[in-house]
Amino acid sequence: NLNGEDFKLSDNRGKVVVLDFWATWCGPCVRALPELLNATSGFNKNKVVLLAVNQGEAKNVISKFLKKKQLNNLSVIMDENRKIGADYEVKGIPKTVILDSKGIIRYVHVGFSKGIANRLKGEIKELLSE
């Protein structure tokens, strides 16, 4: 992750996981991040987690961006060689992938659209009710 700690997606088994593939230079990604935080922040952190998977940028670039945009509580996963992105077939960003508590991909959104926070909240609620 951004703090240099090892990260395993399997550590979040049992939670609904929202993976957002993004980069600081991507305008739609920048607009989507606050909406994604809004969509996930109202849920119990033991049940829902948002992971912002950065696509190939340096730590200092990401850290400056997070500070400037006041996104200090965003959990950033470093995908320096874009391997995670390749595993999730990321061709364009932003790409948001929602995994259920068993780790199965249930929803995929490519691009940014206004109101995505409400759509994500509904999808997350649906997964939590299963």
Side-chain angles (χ1 to χ4, degrees):
N1 64 18
L2 189 59
N3 300 326
E5 301 161 345
D6 285 339
F7 170 80
K8 283 200 266 183
L9 186 58
S10 60
D11 291 343
N12 289 288
R13 191 64 51 99
K15 298 178 184 176
V16 171
V17 177
V18 179
L19 296 174
D20 183 57
F21 295 88
W22 71 289
T24 63
W25 50 263
C26 166
C29 299
V30 172
R31 289 198 310 276
L33 286 172
E35 293 238 11
L36 295 170
L37 278 167
N38 175 28
T40 56
S41 64
F43 294 100
N44 181 326
K45 292 190 185 327
N46 295 321
K47 295 186 178 189
V48 178
V49 63
L50 168 64
L51 302 170
V53 185
N54 182 273
Q55 296 297 281
E57 294 183 285
K59 284 184 181 186
N60 64 332
V61 171
I62 299 165
S63 295
K64 283 181 193 172
F65 169 84
L66 295 175
K67 188 173 184 179
K68 180 181 175 189
K69 296 292 184 180
Q70 298 179 340
L71 296 169
N72 307 326
N73 53 348
L74 187 65
S75 296
V76 177
I77 305 304
M78 305 294 292
D79 189 11
E80 292 161 308
N81 5 335
R82 298 186 177 113
K83 182 183 176 346
I84 302 167
D87 290 346
Y88 283 87
E89 299 178 359
V90 173
K91 306 265 190 270
I93 54 176
K95 181 172 183 174
T96 306
V97 178
I98 304 177
L99 309 173
D100 67 15
S101 60
K102 296 179 185 94
I104 298 168
I105 296 172
R106 297 290 294 274
Y107 298 100
V108 177
H109 302 279
V110 179
F112 170 76
S113 60
K114 270 191 175 281
I116 194 166
N118 288 332
R119 192 166 354 135
L120 292 177
K121 282 180 191 178
E123 292 167 351
I124 293 167
K125 283 179 186 174
E126 185 178 312
L127 294 176
L128 289 173
S129 71
E130 292 180 351

